Amino acid sequence: MPEALLADFLAFTLAGEAPAVTAGEAAVGVQWRWLGAGLLALAPAALADDAPRIVLSAGVHGDETAPVELLNVLAQDIAAGKAALQAHLLIVLGNVAAMQAGCRYLDDDLNRLFGGVHLSVPNSTEAGRAAELEACVARFFEAGPGARWHLDLHTAIRPSVFERFALLPQREAAYGADVFAWLGAFGIEAVLMHRTGSATFSHYCSHAHGALACTLELGKVMPFGQNDLSRFAAAASGLRRLIAGAAPADGTTPPRCFDVVGQLDKRSDAFKLLIGDDVANFTPYAQGTPIARDGEQVWTVQHAEERIVFPNAKVKVGLRAGLLVAELPVV
Ligand SMILES: [Zn+2]
């Protein structure tokens, strides 16, 4: 049973199985612990408690399959000794029920339920999972004093001017050059700097646990088995360097940085995108361009140029229907 779990954690998880034995040591001296559906901790047997603690998550949106496959291959390679590990690693396959159903979520977007927001929707299928993930990462991070990381891997629904981009949660302290070097090493072309809090998984790990946390958008959604993982090669090799305790590769291009300058909040069913429903992420618009309308409220471009990210008029009333971002000057 443990062999099946380590050989194909994704298949094991999708089958809804629970192992008879929940912890052990793989052939190469890597200790593993199964912590619940889609939750697998890995660490070298002799690793110090103060080694880095890294959470890698994927499938928080159940239909975003490529990063899930990427983490599955990573877990296989660690267990087989083909990928070096010098960290306490927690692999999280986020919304297992939605992954099994082949959809983004069942009742509520899991990535809008963290930081306790799940308490406000107790009957939602996703509420229990959000609570379980919060408890699991809390135990994982609090088990030692090492540097804390959380990288939440996603793929976008729509095409993007920048194929790979990252969202950094709002926090008091500025992000250091090392963060941008790592994002460049993951193949990230653009970074969004959030200026307000949100109920995402990465924001929760940043605020509740002081983790260096980031949401990575690595390409476009495809069904399981139809992903070209070579398009995710930069992210995969960057993650392997990170968990191996190496430095980011030299010679990578640092990402362009964008500030979130506006948020399109859907307040009623009258909400309408005035730029059409199928524009690419990061499409630029000039000052004065009307972007969206909700009854009397109209959002227009305030800066010389702003770009639209995650436009989606179909979200539930009360949720974010898009972000407007402006490029930050290079420092
Ligand atoms: Zn996503």
Side-chain angles (χ1 to χ4, degrees):
M1 187 77 86
E3 292 74 18
L5 182 154
L6 294 173
D8 194 338
F9 186 54
L10 172 57
F12 185 87
T13 301
L14 290 177
E17 294 186 52
V21 178
T22 58
E25 191 163 312
V28 291
V30 169
Q31 292 183 323
W32 62 270
R33 274 180 304 141
W34 184 83
L35 301 171
L39 302 170
L40 179 65
L42 297 163
L47 191 64
D49 270 352
D50 63 358
R53 294 184 171 270
I54 302 172
V55 175
L56 298 180
S57 56
V60 168
H61 293 137
D63 59 350
E64 297 178 359
T65 52
V68 174
E69 292 173 352
L70 188 157
L71 291 189
N72 193 41
V73 172
L74 186 62
Q76 288 166 3
D77 285 356
I78 291 168
K82 292 187 206 158
L85 181 63
Q86 283 301 324
H88 300 277
L89 177 64
L90 175 62
I91 289 179
V92 175
L93 306 186
N95 195 337
V96 173
M99 283 165 46
Q100 288 165 334
C103 62
R104 187 171 176 82
Y105 58 80
L106 297 179
D107 295 325
D108 285 284
D109 185 336
L110 178 59
N111 212 25
R112 302 286 180 275
L113 295 184
F114 288 92
V117 174
H118 54 85
L119 296 171
S120 65
V121 286
N123 296 323
S124 171
T125 305
E126 276 77 16
R129 186 60 171 169
E132 184 181 16
L133 296 186
E134 287 184 0
C136 183
V137 298
R139 276 194 302 273
F140 176 74
F141 281 136
E142 286 162 8
R148 297 173 178 182
W149 284 80
H150 172 223
L151 297 169
D152 189 26
L153 314 182
H154 289 249
T155 50
I157 300 168
R158 61 185 59 244
S160 180
V161 172
F162 305 112
E163 185 177 353
R164 291 175 297 278
F165 60 97
L167 299 98
L168 282 171
Q170 173 271 334
R171 69 174 200 185
E172 293 285 311
Y175 288 97
D178 58 327
V179 176
F180 296 99
W182 274 114
L183 293 176
F186 300 147
I188 296 297
E189 299 155 82
V191 180
L192 299 195
M193 314 290 293
H194 274 291
R195 298 302 174 194
T196 56
S198 68
T200 63
F201 196 12
S202 61
H203 183 88
Y204 167 76
C205 287
S206 173
H207 275 246
H209 303 294
L212 181 52
C214 191
T215 302
L216 302 180
E217 297 283 351
L218 297 174
K220 202 159 175 300
V221 170
M222 301 292 273
F224 278 124
Q226 294 181 28
N227 294 295
D228 175 5
L229 287 185
S230 70
R231 297 186 72 98
F232 299 83
S237 73
L239 291 175
R240 281 168 194 248
R241 293 181 76 95
L242 180 71
I243 66 168
D250 290 332
T252 55
T253 310
R256 292 165 69 173
C257 284
F258 294 85
D259 218 354
V260 176
V261 295
Q263 176 158 322
L264 311 177
D265 289 313
K266 180 170 176 176
R267 299 191 179 119
S268 76
D269 286 321
F271 181 92
K272 189 170 167 30
L273 285 169
L274 302 174
I275 49 174
D277 284 324
D278 54 0
V279 293
N281 278 325
F282 290 97
T283 301
Y285 297 95
Q287 195 166 40
T289 307
I291 298 292
R293 175 187 296 141
D294 196 344
E296 294 295 297
Q297 181 166 13
V298 178
W299 287 267
T300 56
V301 173
Q302 305 293 310
H303 297 72
E305 180 185 89
E306 293 177 12
R307 294 169 183 254
I308 185 86
V309 186
F310 302 131
N312 183 1
K314 296 197 186 86
V315 296
K316 291 184 181 179
V317 168
L319 292 185
R320 180 188 85 190
L323 292 173
L324 290 167
V325 305
E327 187 155 17
L328 288 165
V330 178
V331 283

